[in-house]
Amino acid sequence: MGSWQLQEAKARFSEFLDAAIKRGPQVVTRRGIEAAVLVPIEEWHRLQQANRPNIKELLLSGPKFDLTLPKRSKWKRRPSVDFTHPDFK
């Protein structure tokens, strides 16, 4: 992994980009402190996919709890309405 000062990376951006593509991630420093990294797009996509769980993993990683439901009582059903009866208006 190469290291470039900010001013050098700005002045020679094409070389900076070529170095990232050919040799991998390139670190940019500002005043001697690491500030950013330029990575090839293939590596970026790989890193993005590695950090994104699929829907199954997402659902299975949720909170685990014991759900106890109370017993249901008998349903009280109303008598059905006969819409064909002559008294129905």
Side-chain angles (χ1 to χ4, degrees), residues 35-67:
V37 177
L38 180 66
V39 296
I41 194 70
E42 296 85 17
E43 188 165 344
W44 173 256
H45 289 304
R46 183 184 58 77
L47 291 169
Q48 290 296 308
Q49 288 302 318
N51 290 329
R52 186 178 299 155
N54 62 30
I55 188 71
K56 179 181 176 183
E57 292 168 348
L58 189 62
L59 292 173
L60 290 175
S61 69
K64 308 287 190 255
F65 53 91
D66 183 25
L67 182 62

Side-chain angles (χ1 to χ4, degrees):
M1 181 165 21
S3 181
W4 298 65
Q5 293 179 359
L6 178 61
Q7 293 301 323
E8 182 184 9
K10 285 170 43 177
R12 299 174 27 203
F13 188 77
S14 290
E15 291 177 48
F16 177 51
L17 181 60
D18 288 340
I21 292 169
K22 293 176 184 169
R23 294 191 304 248
Q26 301 293 306
V27 176
V28 179
T29 61
R30 178 186 280 167
R31 298 185 193 108
I33 300 171
E34 293 180 342
V37 177
L38 180 66
V39 296
I41 194 70
E42 296 85 17
E43 188 165 344
W44 173 256
H45 289 304
R46 183 184 58 77
L47 291 169
Q48 290 296 308
Q49 288 302 318
N51 290 329
R52 186 178 299 155
N54 62 30
I55 188 71
K56 179 181 176 183
E57 292 168 348
L58 189 62
L59 292 173
L60 290 175
S61 69
K64 308 287 190 255
F65 53 91
D66 183 25
L67 182 62
T68 307
L69 298 174
K71 284 197 160 221
R72 295 173 63 178
S73 60
K74 290 267 188 187
W75 285 77
K76 296 179 182 174
R77 298 184 63 174
R78 296 186 204 179
S80 59
V81 177
D82 182 10
F83 293 104
T84 61
H85 194 272
D87 290 340
F88 183 78
K89 295 181 185 177

